[in-house]
Amino acid sequence: MKKKQQQKADKGIPLLLSIIILFCILGAIVFSVARKISTEMEASAIQNLSESLDLIESTIEAVLNKEAEFQQLIAHEIALAPEPMEYIQTYQDNPTMVKISLICAGETVGVSNTGEIFSEEGLDFSAGGTVGGLAVSESYVNFMGTWAYTMKCPVERDGEEIASLYIEYVYDSLDRSLPNGFYNKRAMLYIMDAHSERLVLKPKGMGERSAGHLNLEDFFRANDITDEELLEDVIVNVRSGKNIMFNHDIREKDSLIYMWAVNDGTLYLIGYVPVEAIQQEGNSVNQNILIVVVAMLAAFFLCCVIYFLNQRQQNKIREERERERELYNKQLAEALQAAQIASNSKTMFLSNMSHDIRTPMNAVIGFTTLLAKDADNPEKVRAYTKKIMASGQHLLSLINDILDVSKIESGKVVLSVEEFTLNDLVSSVDAIIRPMAAAKQQRFHVEVTNVVHEYLLGDETRINQILINLLSNAVKYTQEGGNIWFRIIGGKQRSPQFERIRIEVQDDGYGMTPEYLKVLFDAFTRAENSMTNKVQGTGLGMAITKNIVELMGGTIDVSSEVNKGTLFRVELELRIPEGHAYKRFWEENGISRILAVDGEQAVCENIRMLMKDSGVVTDTVPTAGQAVRLLQRGAEACYQLLLVDWSIVETEGISPVKELWELLPDTAMLLFLADYDAEGMDEALKLKNTGVLAKPFFVTAFQEKILEMRAAQGGADMAGVADADSLEGLHFLAAEDNEINAEILREILSIEGAECEIVGNGQLAVERFEHAAQGEFDAILMDVQMPVMNGYDATRAIRSLARADAGTIPIIAMTANAFAEDEKEALDAGMDVHLAKPIDVELLKKVITQYIFRRE
């Protein structure tokens, strides 16, 4: 038995050896296959990395080329402009262009759109880098503390170079076009300026460390790359604009370091990725092969099964890797497309800027036409002039908003909170919107209900801008003959110091689709369909509106349905100012009781609510007939003023109103409450002591109308009020370098009975005042941007003169620099007050008299 067992054992040894040899051969074959697969996958991974870097390179070069093309377009526009310097000073910034400057041929300094003096000093173009044929400077840190670069473009007119255009760009703008990391964010990536070897940008999501390196030397030192021969080879390749890729251990990990040339080597993409990250699939393969080898030691047939499973797994891994590469390519393609869209939006903005500006301009042109037609009617001339002024002021605010859109989006806008009245707000809006609606034969309805306080504290210009944006869009996107509703509704007060109001703008126009509602408040978006394509606009209006509402602490929402209309709701809480002397006004004008005749209960309630704190008894009836019976029954009811809704006359005729009027004392006044565009009132206005009060009812407008009628009767002395801001006999010194502006100023002051001596710059103003007699000038009107010496320096020089009146004479800034920081700079220089151009005559009169009387 033992011999048989020994024989079997002896026979088994060769078999075992054969099996071992067979498995060794198979193992060797498997090992060599594994090595080959690993090598191939490593090469494939490196190729994948190269392709990813090529796509990033293409994306950056596309953005740079678009910037160069856009700069050449601006240079062409400057060449066509009659005043290139003025074009630069009024040019608007955008998120990628930090500063735009111009130096005329033959000069060493120029101007920037920021208003500062510009020179090429400090910019290094010696590296010879170009983009699209334009010279690119060495990277530098700009005044905002971020890395930037400047492109230089010649401005040619008729084949002759007349100037050089410089535009500063920030590298941060490239960040939006690059992918949010790759290789599961395990790869490190920087953008380096090749000439200075400074690292100018670390894109978002790139790298495992929160802090970045400063320059190429710091990158090598931080990653312990000290081989001098390798460093020398790297420097040679960088200076020749070649791509470099080599292996190195970084933090005890074998990593692949890459340096990829962009834009012919002016920029470099530098960074590294752990080898294990790019060989993740290969390591997985080796682990599976090891499992196969171990399984082969257990059983040959299991080896075949495991090998089959492994092959299937390999195919799956290859497919996943291919899908991942396709995903990376898609993301980079989308990033490239986004960069192109961003560049195109700049051009779109410049070509579509007319949307918001044309709204008030329509009112200015329309009322100017009517002014020429009705020049012989003083009352209409005053009304048209007031509306033109309101539209012009709104147009000025729109221009400031367009120039300031980047500040709005970045949250740097400061609200100007001042006291205003809802009457003035509604009147100015109505003056702009009603002609627009009338041109399209639309009906414009204005309603104000449940508002307790008419005087409020807030930024009237910004609120006006919100209303004009919403209402002008309602007119434009509503068909001819449609309806526009503008409502101001008072809400329940949460605090006695604040008035809560809801603004509603509704139309029955084209409406909006649910898809467009999602992007309504995004910049540069506008509804596109066969009905609205003819409407032009920048697409900034709703984005600015939403930003302003939120800046005021309010909310805005919208509901819309296609072909049925749109409703916007704006919720605001505005502070209530200290109480006004309502009772004293009514007592001084002998009014203790009024009667309102209106068929709408809501209007009657609104009149009673607004007159509640005035001390005046306010009675209301729905018809003229009931008003007649009321007076006939109670002889003691003596009313000094009768307020009749014009719809009563349209419904019942003028006879009941005449009968009612005969029952009142001769000194009583009759006011018809009517819409702005009401017609057929000539016969009614022939009655004694009658007038028209525009809807909706406001106490301030009511008081102004009463004073106007009293003045017409000779019962109130308005001369004292008119003379309160008189400039008669005053003598001014004005510094103004623009001849047209100087002529306008001289004529305005001459009309007011004042004299004005004008000099051409700040230096002349200082010299003239220094040699003037004591008290020769009552005030100095100072422009800011002038040759020789600007207004700020001139003011400081005047304040430092050794004269008794140098520190007390009022100095008033009159300048086109209208931002809050400009006002602060004027006050810091020693000026008393800042007035923005164009000149508001009434405001100028009030300011001048205020400061002159204060000095006296």
Side-chain angles (χ1 to χ4, degrees):
M1 180 64 69
K2 290 183 179 180
K3 289 183 179 181
K4 289 182 178 181
Q5 291 177 350
Q6 184 67 34
Q7 289 176 355
K8 290 181 179 181
D10 293 340
K11 292 180 180 180
I13 291 175
L15 180 60
L16 179 61
L17 292 174
S18 300
I19 294 173
I20 293 174
I21 293 172
L22 178 61
F23 275 90
C24 288
I25 295 173
L26 292 174
I29 294 173
V30 170
F31 179 75
S32 63
V33 170
R35 287 287 302 274
K36 181 178 180 182
I37 292 175
S38 178
T39 302
E40 291 176 352
M41 295 191 71
E42 179 180 356
S44 178
I46 294 175
Q47 178 64 25
N48 186 19
L49 174 61
S50 300
E51 292 176 358
S52 298
L53 293 172
D54 285 338
L55 283 174
I56 296 176
E57 173 191 350
S58 299
T59 301
I60 295 175
E61 290 179 348
V63 173
L64 294 175
N65 287 327
K66 285 296 181 181
E67 291 176 345
E69 293 174 6
F70 187 69
Q71 184 163 346
Q72 290 171 339
L73 176 61
I74 296 177
H76 179 67
E77 293 180 356
I78 293 174
L80 298 178
E83 296 292 338
M85 290 298 183
E86 182 178 346
Y87 180 94
I88 290 297
Q89 292 174 338
T90 59
Y91 196 83
Q92 175 204 358
D93 295 341
N94 62 49
T96 60
M97 296 167 51
V98 176
K99 182 170 66 175
I100 177 170
S101 309
L102 188 73
I103 298 179
C104 293
E107 298 183 6
T108 59
V109 296
V111 297
S112 300
N113 64 332
T114 58
E116 61 185 359
I117 301 300
F118 174 81
S119 70
E120 190 176 320
E121 182 179 0
L123 297 177
D124 186 359
F125 292 92
S126 62
T130 61
V131 174
L134 302 185
V136 182
S137 72
E138 179 184 331
S139 302
Y140 57 89
V141 177
N142 65 9
F143 71 95
M144 297 186 300
T146 186
W147 281 100
Y149 57 95
T150 295
M151 289 191 192
K152 177 180 179 181
C153 177
V155 180
E156 298 181 351
R157 180 187 293 167
D158 299 329
E160 179 182 359
E161 182 174 337
I162 63 171
S164 296
L165 174 65
Y166 300 80
I167 298 183
E168 178 179 295
Y169 304 88
V170 293
Y171 282 100
D172 290 344
S173 63
L174 298 177
D175 199 14
R176 295 188 294 271
S177 305
L178 300 180
N180 188 14
F182 57 102
Y183 288 105
N184 296 324
K185 298 186 179 181
R186 298 182 65 186
M188 175 73 74
L189 177 65
Y190 290 91
I191 297 180
M192 181 185 77
D193 180 83
H195 183 63
S196 63
E197 298 183 354
R198 298 298 298 266
L199 306 184
V200 296
L201 179 64
K202 177 183 178 183
K204 58 181 181 300
M206 296 293 186
E208 302 173 338
R209 297 180 2 171
S210 59
H213 303 303
L214 299 176
N215 51 38
L216 183 60
E217 181 182 354
D218 180 40
F219 176 84
F220 287 155
R221 182 172 58 254
N223 295 305
D224 198 25
I225 303 175
T226 58
D227 188 340
E228 295 183 358
E229 184 175 348
L230 174 61
L231 294 178
E232 183 178 354
D233 185 56
V234 168
I235 296 301
V236 170
N237 282 278
V238 167
R239 292 176 179 174
S240 60
K242 296 181 179 179
N243 297 333
I244 313 166
M245 193 177 292
F246 58 90
N247 288 83
H248 187 75
D249 287 339
I250 296 179
R251 296 195 294 276
E252 299 180 355
K253 290 183 180 179
D254 185 16
S255 302
L256 187 62
I257 298 176
Y258 46 82
M259 304 183 68
W260 220 254
V262 178
N263 192 38
D264 297 329
T266 59
L267 297 176
Y268 262 84
L269 303 174
I270 74 168
Y272 63 85
V273 58
V275 174
E276 62 182 18
I278 64 174
Q279 292 184 342
Q280 184 175 358
E281 295 87 351
N283 294 333
S284 177
V285 172
N286 291 333
Q287 292 174 1
N288 290 331
I289 293 177
L290 180 60
I291 294 174
V292 172
V293 173
V294 173
M296 288 173 58
L297 296 175
F300 181 73
F301 71 93
L302 291 178
C303 178
C304 296
V305 175
I306 294 174
Y307 180 76
F308 171 75
L309 294 176
N310 182 67
Q311 289 301 313
R312 188 172 66 179
Q313 181 70 14
Q314 286 301 306
N315 292 333
K316 183 179 179 181
I317 292 174
R318 290 191 182 95
E319 291 175 359
E320 290 178 353
R321 188 189 64 193
E322 190 65 29
R323 285 196 297 269
E324 183 180 11
R325 184 165 61 182
E326 290 177 357
L327 178 60
Y328 284 142
N329 293 340
K330 182 180 179 181
Q331 291 175 342
L332 291 174
E334 290 175 350
L336 177 60
Q337 183 180 10
Q340 294 171 341
I341 292 174
S343 179
N344 291 337
S345 67
K346 301 173 186 176
T347 304
M348 181 193 308
F349 173 72
L350 293 174
S351 62
N352 294 337
M353 195 181 293
S354 63
H355 174 258
D356 288 337
I357 295 180
R358 292 193 181 196
T359 300
M361 183 59 71
N362 177 68
V364 172
I365 295 174
F367 283 117
T368 303
T369 303
L370 295 176
L371 187 63
K373 180 180 178 182
D374 298 320
D376 297 331
N377 189 329
E379 183 175 353
K380 288 188 176 181
V381 168
R382 284 193 296 270
Y384 295 156
T385 305
K386 182 178 180 181
K387 293 175 182 179
I388 291 173
M389 178 64 70
S391 301
Q393 290 294 337
H394 177 65
L395 179 61
L396 180 62
S397 69
L398 283 179
I399 294 173
N400 287 336
D401 286 335
I402 292 174
L403 298 176
D404 207 25
V405 65
S406 61
K407 290 189 177 183
I408 292 177
E409 293 178 347
S410 62
K412 296 180 180 179
V413 173
V414 178
L415 296 177
S416 177
V417 178
E418 296 178 350
E419 184 176 310
F420 69 95
T421 67
L422 288 179
N423 172 46
D424 292 338
L425 180 67
V426 173
S427 297
S428 63
V429 171
D430 190 283
I432 294 174
I433 300 301
R434 191 170 295 276
M436 295 175 56
K440 297 183 68 175
Q441 298 179 353
Q442 297 168 343
R443 289 174 294 279
F444 182 45
H445 310 276
V446 181
E447 302 173 10
V448 179
T449 56
N450 297 330
V451 177
V452 180
H453 299 87
E454 186 177 340
Y455 285 87
L456 297 171
L457 289 174
D459 193 329
E460 182 181 7
T461 301
R462 297 295 184 186
I463 298 175
N464 188 289
Q465 183 179 355
I466 293 171
L467 297 178
I468 295 299
N469 281 342
L470 296 177
L471 287 167
S472 63
N473 280 340
V475 172
K476 291 174 183 178
Y477 292 100
T478 299
Q479 65 282 358
E480 290 193 5
N483 290 275
I484 311 294
W485 291 271
F486 169 36
R487 308 184 188 96
I488 298 181
I489 304 170
K492 184 178 180 181
Q493 292 181 246
R494 300 176 182 175
S495 168
Q497 286 80 32
F498 288 88
E499 178 82 20
R500 185 182 180 191
I501 63 172
R502 181 171 77 246
I503 299 170
E504 292 185 353
V505 174
Q506 185 177 3
D507 62 72
D508 55 3
Y510 306 129
M512 293 177 280
T513 63
E515 293 77 16
Y516 181 67
L517 285 176
K518 296 178 181 178
V519 297
L520 172 64
F521 295 109
D522 294 344
F524 305 109
T525 59
R526 186 167 59 88
E528 299 287 343
N529 58 55
S530 60
M531 301 298 294
T532 64
N533 282 342
K534 61 184 178 180
V535 179
Q536 299 298 318
T538 62
L540 285 173
M542 296 314 300
I544 293 177
T545 297
K546 185 174 186 295
N547 280 326
I548 294 174
V549 170
E550 292 179 348
L551 186 63
M552 292 181 176
T555 61
I556 181 171
D557 61 75
V558 58
S559 58
S560 183
E561 190 172 348
V562 176
N563 297 327
K564 290 189 177 181
T566 302
L567 172 61
F568 283 92
R569 290 188 181 91
V570 177
E571 297 277 354
L572 294 174
E573 280 193 331
L574 301 174
R575 181 174 287 276
I576 302 168
E578 297 297 327
H580 294 266
Y582 292 122
K583 294 184 179 180
R584 187 173 62 183
F585 172 85
W586 303 109
E587 292 172 358
E588 290 176 353
N589 286 275
I591 298 175
S592 61
R593 194 161 190 168
I594 65 175
L595 176 62
V597 185
D598 197 306
E600 293 187 28
Q601 183 65 24
V603 175
C604 293
E605 290 292 336
N606 189 58
I607 293 174
R608 284 197 296 267
M609 180 177 63
L610 292 175
M611 294 294 296
K612 181 177 63 174
D613 297 331
S614 64
V616 178
V617 177
T618 304
D619 295 329
T620 60
V621 292
T623 65
Q626 292 186 28
V628 171
R629 290 191 292 272
L630 175 65
L631 292 180
Q632 290 175 341
R633 287 197 309 266
E636 74 281 2
C638 183
Y639 298 100
Q640 295 85 29
L641 198 147
L642 181 62
L643 188 63
V644 180
D645 190 275
W646 182 245
S647 62
I648 297 292
V649 180
E650 293 176 336
T651 303
E652 304 181 29
I654 193 63
S655 296
V657 177
K658 289 182 178 179
E659 182 180 356
L660 177 62
W661 189 234
E662 292 174 355
L663 296 175
L664 293 174
D666 293 338
T667 57
M669 291 184 289
L670 169 63
L671 288 178
F672 291 104
L673 190 61
D675 291 324
Y676 281 92
D677 52 359
E679 298 178 352
M681 304 183 68
D682 294 340
E683 181 180 356
L685 293 177
K686 292 179 181 178
L687 296 174
K688 182 182 178 182
N689 295 341
T690 58
V692 179
L693 180 63
K695 289 183 178 180
F697 178 83
F698 286 108
V699 175
T700 52
F702 192 25
Q703 292 174 333
E704 290 175 2
K705 196 63 181 180
I706 292 173
L707 289 177
E708 180 182 330
M709 295 181 66
R710 292 286 194 203
Q713 296 171 354
D717 184 12
M718 299 299 291
V721 177
D723 294 339
D725 294 332
S726 174
L727 303 182
E728 184 75 31
L730 298 181
H731 189 196
F732 299 101
L733 172 62
E736 174 62 68
D737 64 317
N738 185 284
E739 294 182 1
I740 295 178
N741 290 342
E743 181 179 354
I744 292 173
L745 180 61
R746 181 183 287 109
E747 290 299 324
I748 289 175
L749 294 176
S750 175
I751 292 173
E752 298 297 330
E755 295 181 1
C756 181
E757 181 177 338
I758 298 178
V759 294
N761 58 63
Q763 181 64 44
L764 294 176
V766 175
E767 294 174 356
R768 180 65 184 88
F769 179 75
E770 185 177 8
H771 296 91
Q774 189 83 11
E776 180 178 351
F777 296 111
D778 295 290
I780 300 175
L781 308 179
M782 184 73 71
D783 190 14
V784 171
Q785 293 187 357
M786 294 182 292
V788 184
M789 179 182 288
N790 63 43
Y792 301 138
D793 293 339
T795 300
R796 295 187 185 96
I798 290 174
R799 294 301 189 202
S800 63
L801 291 175
R803 291 172 55 112
D805 58 347
T808 59
I809 186 169
I811 302 179
I812 301 171
M814 298 177 59
T815 172
N817 299 344
F819 295 130
E821 53 267 31
D822 300 317
E823 181 175 0
K824 180 178 184 300
E825 187 172 0
L827 298 179
D828 291 343
M831 299 184 186
D832 293 282
V833 70
H834 177 279
L835 296 180
K837 293 179 181 178
I839 301 171
D840 185 331
V841 180
E842 294 302 320
L843 181 59
L844 175 62
K845 289 167 61 178
K846 290 180 180 179
V847 168
I848 289 175
T849 53
Q850 174 188 354
Y851 279 90
I852 290 177
F853 293 157
R854 177 184 299 177
R855 181 186 61 168
E856 294 174 353

mmCIF file of all heavy atoms in Angstrom, residues 125-151:
data_model
loop_
_atom_site.group_PDB
_atom_site.id
_atom_site.type_symbol
_atom_site.label_atom_id
_atom_site.label_comp_id
_atom_site.label_asym_id
_atom_site.label_seq_id
_atom_site.Cartn_x
_atom_site.Cartn_y
_atom_site.Cartn_z
ATOM 1 N N PHE A 125 5.807 96.021 -22.775
ATOM 2 C CA PHE A 125 5.455 95.282 -23.992
ATOM 3 C C PHE A 125 6.708 94.657 -24.627
ATOM 4 O O PHE A 125 6.674 94.198 -25.771
ATOM 5 C CB PHE A 125 4.786 96.209 -25.013
ATOM 6 C CG PHE A 125 3.436 96.696 -24.590
ATOM 7 C CD1 PHE A 125 3.288 97.890 -23.895
ATOM 8 C CD2 PHE A 125 2.298 95.964 -24.882
ATOM 9 C CE1 PHE A 125 2.045 98.340 -23.514
ATOM 10 C CE2 PHE A 125 1.057 96.406 -24.511
ATOM 11 C CZ PHE A 125 0.924 97.603 -23.816
ATOM 12 N N SER A 126 7.825 94.652 -23.868
ATOM 13 C CA SER A 126 9.085 94.231 -24.456
ATOM 14 C C SER A 126 9.131 92.757 -24.795
ATOM 15 O O SER A 126 9.947 92.334 -25.606
ATOM 16 C CB SER A 126 10.236 94.577 -23.491
ATOM 17 O OG SER A 126 10.072 93.858 -22.256
ATOM 18 N N ALA A 127 8.276 91.936 -24.199
ATOM 19 C CA ALA A 127 8.327 90.489 -24.465
ATOM 20 C C ALA A 127 7.906 90.174 -25.888
ATOM 21 O O ALA A 127 8.205 89.100 -26.404
ATOM 22 C CB ALA A 127 7.432 89.743 -23.477
ATOM 23 N N GLY A 128 7.188 91.089 -26.530
ATOM 24 C CA GLY A 128 6.786 90.868 -27.914
ATOM 25 C C GLY A 128 5.589 89.977 -28.091
ATOM 26 O O GLY A 128 5.287 89.539 -29.196
ATOM 27 N N GLY A 129 4.849 89.680 -27.013
ATOM 28 C CA GLY A 129 3.657 88.847 -27.120
ATOM 29 C C GLY A 129 2.536 89.568 -27.847
ATOM 30 O O GLY A 129 2.358 90.764 -27.699
ATOM 31 N N THR A 130 1.797 88.823 -28.639
ATOM 32 C CA THR A 130 0.671 89.404 -29.373
ATOM 33 C C THR A 130 -0.533 88.487 -29.279
ATOM 34 O O THR A 130 -0.409 87.290 -29.065
ATOM 35 C CB THR A 130 1.018 89.634 -30.856
ATOM 36 O OG1 THR A 130 1.327 88.371 -31.466
ATOM 37 C CG2 THR A 130 2.199 90.586 -31.006
ATOM 38 N N VAL A 131 -1.719 89.096 -29.455
ATOM 39 C CA VAL A 131 -2.972 88.357 -29.584
ATOM 40 C C VAL A 131 -3.739 88.964 -30.744
ATOM 41 O O VAL A 131 -4.094 90.136 -30.709
ATOM 42 C CB VAL A 131 -3.826 88.445 -28.294
ATOM 43 C CG1 VAL A 131 -5.188 87.781 -28.533
ATOM 44 C CG2 VAL A 131 -3.134 87.759 -27.142
ATOM 45 N N GLY A 132 -3.958 88.159 -31.800
ATOM 46 C CA GLY A 132 -4.672 88.690 -32.949
ATOM 47 C C GLY A 132 -3.970 89.877 -33.570
ATOM 48 O O GLY A 132 -4.614 90.771 -34.101
ATOM 49 N N GLY A 133 -2.654 89.928 -33.482
ATOM 50 C CA GLY A 133 -1.910 91.041 -34.028
ATOM 51 C C GLY A 133 -1.756 92.227 -33.096
ATOM 52 O O GLY A 133 -1.107 93.197 -33.444
ATOM 53 N N LEU A 134 -2.340 92.170 -31.892
ATOM 54 C CA LEU A 134 -2.242 93.269 -30.930
ATOM 55 C C LEU A 134 -1.168 92.948 -29.890
ATOM 56 O O LEU A 134 -1.097 91.822 -29.385
ATOM 57 C CB LEU A 134 -3.579 93.494 -30.234
ATOM 58 C CG LEU A 134 -4.784 93.801 -31.131
ATOM 59 C CD1 LEU A 134 -5.996 94.121 -30.278
ATOM 60 C CD2 LEU A 134 -4.470 94.944 -32.079
ATOM 61 N N ALA A 135 -0.389 93.953 -29.533
ATOM 62 C CA ALA A 135 0.662 93.762 -28.535
ATOM 63 C C ALA A 135 0.040 93.554 -27.151
ATOM 64 O O ALA A 135 -0.921 94.213 -26.787
ATOM 65 C CB ALA A 135 1.595 94.960 -28.517
ATOM 66 N N VAL A 136 0.637 92.607 -26.390
ATOM 67 C CA VAL A 136 0.158 92.295 -25.046
ATOM 68 C C VAL A 136 1.272 92.594 -24.058
ATOM 69 O O VAL A 136 2.431 92.207 -24.273
ATOM 70 C CB VAL A 136 -0.278 90.829 -24.919
ATOM 71 C CG1 VAL A 136 -0.820 90.562 -23.522
ATOM 72 C CG2 VAL A 136 -1.321 90.496 -25.956
ATOM 73 N N SER A 137 0.918 93.271 -22.970
ATOM 74 C CA SER A 137 1.923 93.639 -21.977
ATOM 75 C C SER A 137 2.237 92.467 -21.064
ATOM 76 O O SER A 137 1.508 91.473 -21.017
ATOM 77 C CB SER A 137 1.412 94.810 -21.132
ATOM 78 O OG SER A 137 0.395 94.373 -20.251
ATOM 79 N N GLU A 138 3.332 92.643 -20.324
ATOM 80 C CA GLU A 138 3.644 91.689 -19.253
ATOM 81 C C GLU A 138 2.573 91.806 -18.165
ATOM 82 O O GLU A 138 2.027 92.880 -17.929
ATOM 83 C CB GLU A 138 5.015 92.010 -18.680
ATOM 84 C CG GLU A 138 5.435 91.093 -17.522
ATOM 85 C CD GLU A 138 6.770 91.511 -16.922
ATOM 86 O OE1 GLU A 138 7.585 92.085 -17.669
ATOM 87 O OE2 GLU A 138 6.989 91.261 -15.728
ATOM 88 N N SER A 139 2.228 90.689 -17.540
ATOM 89 C CA SER A 139 1.191 90.697 -16.511
ATOM 90 C C SER A 139 1.624 91.539 -15.314
ATOM 91 O O SER A 139 2.822 91.636 -15.003
ATOM 92 C CB SER A 139 0.886 89.265 -16.052
ATOM 93 O OG SER A 139 0.482 88.481 -17.141
ATOM 94 N N TYR A 140 0.652 92.141 -14.638
ATOM 95 C CA TYR A 140 0.925 92.991 -13.479
ATOM 96 C C TYR A 140 -0.276 92.970 -12.555
ATOM 97 O O TYR A 140 -1.361 92.538 -12.933
ATOM 98 C CB TYR A 140 1.230 94.420 -13.922
ATOM 99 C CG TYR A 140 0.134 95.040 -14.742
ATOM 100 C CD1 TYR A 140 -0.927 95.755 -14.154
ATOM 101 C CD2 TYR A 140 0.130 94.893 -16.130
ATOM 102 C CE1 TYR A 140 -1.931 96.308 -14.922
ATOM 103 C CE2 TYR A 140 -0.885 95.433 -16.905
ATOM 104 C CZ TYR A 140 -1.908 96.147 -16.297
ATOM 105 O OH TYR A 140 -2.909 96.682 -17.046
ATOM 106 N N VAL A 141 -0.064 93.456 -11.341
ATOM 107 C CA VAL A 141 -1.159 93.560 -10.367
ATOM 108 C C VAL A 141 -1.723 94.971 -10.468
ATOM 109 O O VAL A 141 -1.002 95.952 -10.284
ATOM 110 C CB VAL A 141 -0.665 93.280 -8.931
ATOM 111 C CG1 VAL A 141 -1.819 93.461 -7.942
ATOM 112 C CG2 VAL A 141 -0.098 91.878 -8.836
ATOM 113 N N ASN A 142 -3.023 95.067 -10.774
ATOM 114 C CA ASN A 142 -3.641 96.385 -10.977
ATOM 115 C C ASN A 142 -4.085 96.998 -9.651
ATOM 116 O O ASN A 142 -3.840 96.435 -8.571
ATOM 117 C CB ASN A 142 -4.803 96.306 -11.972
ATOM 118 C CG ASN A 142 -5.955 95.454 -11.440
ATOM 119 O OD1 ASN A 142 -5.970 95.060 -10.270
ATOM 120 N ND2 ASN A 142 -6.926 95.166 -12.285
ATOM 121 N N PHE A 143 -4.778 98.137 -9.740
ATOM 122 C CA PHE A 143 -5.160 98.872 -8.521
ATOM 123 C C PHE A 143 -6.169 98.110 -7.673
ATOM 124 O O PHE A 143 -6.335 98.411 -6.494
ATOM 125 C CB PHE A 143 -5.732 100.241 -8.902
ATOM 126 C CG PHE A 143 -7.090 100.167 -9.546
ATOM 127 C CD1 PHE A 143 -8.253 100.322 -8.800
ATOM 128 C CD2 PHE A 143 -7.201 99.910 -10.909
ATOM 129 C CE1 PHE A 143 -9.489 100.259 -9.396
ATOM 130 C CE2 PHE A 143 -8.441 99.836 -11.510
ATOM 131 C CZ PHE A 143 -9.582 100.006 -10.742
ATOM 132 N N MET A 144 -6.854 97.107 -8.240
ATOM 133 C CA MET A 144 -7.814 96.313 -7.457
ATOM 134 C C MET A 144 -7.134 95.141 -6.762
ATOM 135 O O MET A 144 -7.789 94.370 -6.083
ATOM 136 C CB MET A 144 -8.938 95.807 -8.375
ATOM 137 C CG MET A 144 -9.782 96.903 -8.994
ATOM 138 S SD MET A 144 -11.209 96.273 -9.932
ATOM 139 C CE MET A 144 -10.348 95.293 -11.169
ATOM 140 N N GLY A 145 -5.827 94.976 -6.987
ATOM 141 C CA GLY A 145 -5.126 93.881 -6.340
ATOM 142 C C GLY A 145 -5.268 92.563 -7.064
ATOM 143 O O GLY A 145 -5.015 91.513 -6.488
ATOM 144 N N THR A 146 -5.647 92.567 -8.332
ATOM 145 C CA THR A 146 -5.785 91.328 -9.090
ATOM 146 C C THR A 146 -4.874 91.384 -10.298
ATOM 147 O O THR A 146 -4.505 92.465 -10.788
ATOM 148 C CB THR A 146 -7.241 91.133 -9.529
ATOM 149 O OG1 THR A 146 -7.375 89.866 -10.134
ATOM 150 C CG2 THR A 146 -7.670 92.212 -10.507
ATOM 151 N N TRP A 147 -4.489 90.214 -10.788
ATOM 152 C CA TRP A 147 -3.572 90.142 -11.924
ATOM 153 C C TRP A 147 -4.280 90.573 -13.185
ATOM 154 O O TRP A 147 -5.415 90.192 -13.437
ATOM 155 C CB TRP A 147 -3.018 88.728 -12.069
ATOM 156 C CG TRP A 147 -1.909 88.432 -11.103
ATOM 157 C CD1 TRP A 147 -1.990 87.757 -9.941
ATOM 158 C CD2 TRP A 147 -0.541 88.835 -11.231
ATOM 159 N NE1 TRP A 147 -0.781 87.712 -9.314
ATOM 160 C CE2 TRP A 147 0.142 88.356 -10.085
ATOM 161 C CE3 TRP A 147 0.167 89.544 -12.186
ATOM 162 C CZ2 TRP A 147 1.487 88.567 -9.890
ATOM 163 C CZ3 TRP A 147 1.515 89.756 -11.987
ATOM 164 C CH2 TRP A 147 2.165 89.265 -10.844
ATOM 165 N N ALA A 148 -3.591 91.347 -13.997
ATOM 166 C CA ALA A 148 -4.209 91.880 -15.204
ATOM 167 C C ALA A 148 -3.151 92.001 -16.289
ATOM 168 O O ALA A 148 -1.947 91.826 -16.065
ATOM 169 C CB ALA A 148 -4.844 93.246 -14.921
ATOM 170 N N TYR A 149 -3.621 92.308 -17.504
ATOM 171 C CA TYR A 149 -2.739 92.541 -18.637
ATOM 172 C C TYR A 149 -3.398 93.581 -19.535
ATOM 173 O O TYR A 149 -4.610 93.792 -19.468
ATOM 174 C CB TYR A 149 -2.457 91.257 -19.421
ATOM 175 C CG TYR A 149 -3.701 90.579 -19.932
ATOM 176 C CD1 TYR A 149 -4.176 90.791 -21.221
ATOM 177 C CD2 TYR A 149 -4.419 89.702 -19.112
ATOM 178 C CE1 TYR A 149 -5.314 90.168 -21.682
ATOM 179 C CE2 TYR A 149 -5.557 89.061 -19.559
ATOM 180 C CZ TYR A 149 -6.003 89.299 -20.854
ATOM 181 O OH TYR A 149 -7.130 88.669 -21.308
ATOM 182 N N THR A 150 -2.629 94.243 -20.357
ATOM 183 C CA THR A 150 -3.143 95.303 -21.225
ATOM 184 C C THR A 150 -2.802 94.987 -22.671
ATOM 185 O O THR A 150 -1.679 94.564 -22.977
ATOM 186 C CB THR A 150 -2.536 96.660 -20.832
ATOM 187 O OG1 THR A 150 -2.977 97.003 -19.511
ATOM 188 C CG2 THR A 150 -2.984 97.756 -21.794
ATOM 189 N N MET A 151 -3.793 95.186 -23.564
ATOM 190 C CA MET A 151 -3.583 95.072 -25.002
ATOM 191 C C MET A 151 -3.502 96.475 -25.610
ATOM 192 O O MET A 151 -4.249 97.367 -25.222
ATOM 193 C CB MET A 151 -4.716 94.279 -25.662
ATOM 194 C CG MET A 151 -4.718 92.790 -25.348
ATOM 195 S SD MET A 151 -5.879 91.924 -26.420
ATOM 196 C CE MET A 151 -5.936 90.335 -25.599
#
